[in-house]
């Protein structure tokens, strides 16, 4: 289970208020350059050609081995996947050090919290790595729950989302909006009975995001504005 951080506003305000579940990588944390750098560094180790940001956004999908299938023309073997995954995370741990929060994040988180509404983070980034990063950015107290992935990487978010929302007794999935940068965020929201808004600043192109059939925005300020309107 993820750690609770800060005051549980959900308990205080009850289930009538809209709750936001934020994605981390590519959403709150503007790390797409680090992702591309780590991807290409990992590709160099296994003999694949580097890719551009545009190609990454057009082809990226989860489960992540399917992304490699689109690049390689076949699914990687289990052994190949382990090598690719380890290489990516090793390089990412270095590349991410130069990354910052997305534009306006501090003000958006503060404004949502000050309005008496709750928010949490659910990420497929490793839990033990996620917690100190969120804390170091000084935003941990904005969230009622901060939860990263436990177990193997590369999978989908749906089961994690269901568990994430179930763990917060004061949060109603039907009054929850997931804000993320991937089609998988929208799928996870639907599977958990929540709404979704997708943001173009991360892993997917606008065209890819629009296939999810949910609102797509270019700024997190727009996403938060929609979150306040979707659930009335």
């Amino acid at each position: 289970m993820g750690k609770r951080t800060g005051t549980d506003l959900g308990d205080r305000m009850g289930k009538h208020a809209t709750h936001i579940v934020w994605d981390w990588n590519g959403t709150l944390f503007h790390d797409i350059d680090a992702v591309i750098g780590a991807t290409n560094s990992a590709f160099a180790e296994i003999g694949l050609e580097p890719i551009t940001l545009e190609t990454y956004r057009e082809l990226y999908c989860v489960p992540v081995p399917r992304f490699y299938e689109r690049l390689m023309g076949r699914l990687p073997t289990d052994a190949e996947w382990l090598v690719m995954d380890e290489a990516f995370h090793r390089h990412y741990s270095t590349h991410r050090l130069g990354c910052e929060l997305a534009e306006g994040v501090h003000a958006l988180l503060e404004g949502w919290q000050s309005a008496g509404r709750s928010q949490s983070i659910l990420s497929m980034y490793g839990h033990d790595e996620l917690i100190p990063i969120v804390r170091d950015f000084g935003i941990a107290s904005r969230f009622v729950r901060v939860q990263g992935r436990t177990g193997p990487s590369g999978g989908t978010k749906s089961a994690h989302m269901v568990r994430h929302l179930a763990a917060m007794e004061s949060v109603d999935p039907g009054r929850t909006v997931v804000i993320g940068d991937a089609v998988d965020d929208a799928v996870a929201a639907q599977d958990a009975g929540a709404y979704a808004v997708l943001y173009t600043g991360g892993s997917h192109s606008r065209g890819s995001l629009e296939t999810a059939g949910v609102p797509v925005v270019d700024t997190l300020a727009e996403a938060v504005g929609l979150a306040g309107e979707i659930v009335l």
Side-chain angles (χ1 to χ4, degrees), residues 104-178:
V105 162
H106 283 285
L108 291 171
L109 297 179
E110 180 182 10
W112 190 262
Q113 184 184 42
S114 296
R117 293 173 289 197
S118 60
Q119 53 198 333
S120 60
I121 293 175
L122 175 62
S123 174
M124 296 302 283
Y125 191 50
H127 183 77
D128 291 340
E129 291 78 26
L130 175 67
I131 295 298
I133 297 173
V134 173
R135 186 183 301 122
D136 288 346
F137 275 116
I139 57 174
S141 64
R142 303 297 183 193
F143 306 102
V144 298
R145 189 174 185 83
V146 177
Q147 182 178 350
R149 170 188 50 78
T150 56
S153 64
T156 61
K157 188 177 271 189
S158 287
H160 299 274
M161 184 68 70
V162 171
R163 291 193 295 268
H164 181 75
L165 294 177
M168 297 180 289
E169 295 180 359
S170 299
V171 172
D172 178 359
R175 301 193 65 83
T176 296
V177 179
V178 176

Side-chain angles (χ1 to χ4, degrees), residues 50-100:
I51 62 172
T52 64
L53 172 61
E54 291 72 24
T55 298
Y56 183 94
R57 283 177 163 163
E58 285 298 325
L59 298 181
Y60 182 75
C61 63
V62 295
V64 178
R66 294 289 181 184
F67 169 54
Y68 287 112
E69 180 182 26
R70 292 179 175 186
L71 294 169
M72 300 168 63
R74 63 175 177 82
L75 274 173
T77 66
D78 290 345
E80 287 173 329
W81 162 246
L82 290 175
V83 171
M84 292 172 172
D85 190 48
E86 186 280 330
F88 171 82
H89 284 94
R90 172 164 37 83
H91 289 291
Y92 176 82
S93 65
T94 300
H95 284 279
R96 73 160 180 83
L97 296 177
C99 298
E100 299 290 341

Side-chain angles (χ1 to χ4, degrees), residues 21-29 31-32 35 56-64 67 70 122-124 155-158 161 178-190 195-217 220:
V21 178
W22 291 96
D23 175 55
W24 179 248
N25 301 96
T27 304
L28 288 177
F29 189 44
D31 66 344
I32 188 62
V35 168
Y56 183 94
R57 283 177 163 163
E58 285 298 325
L59 298 181
Y60 182 75
C61 63
V62 295
V64 178
F67 169 54
R70 292 179 175 186
L122 175 62
S123 174
M124 296 302 283
T156 61
K157 188 177 271 189
S158 287
M161 184 68 70
V178 176
I179 298 178
D181 70 315
V183 172
D184 188 50
D185 291 301
V187 174
Q190 181 178 29
Y195 297 90
V197 176
L198 298 181
Y199 163 61
T200 61
S203 61
H204 282 38
S205 67
R206 172 174 280 276
S208 296
L209 294 177
E210 287 174 344
T211 65
V214 302
V216 176
V217 299
L220 293 182

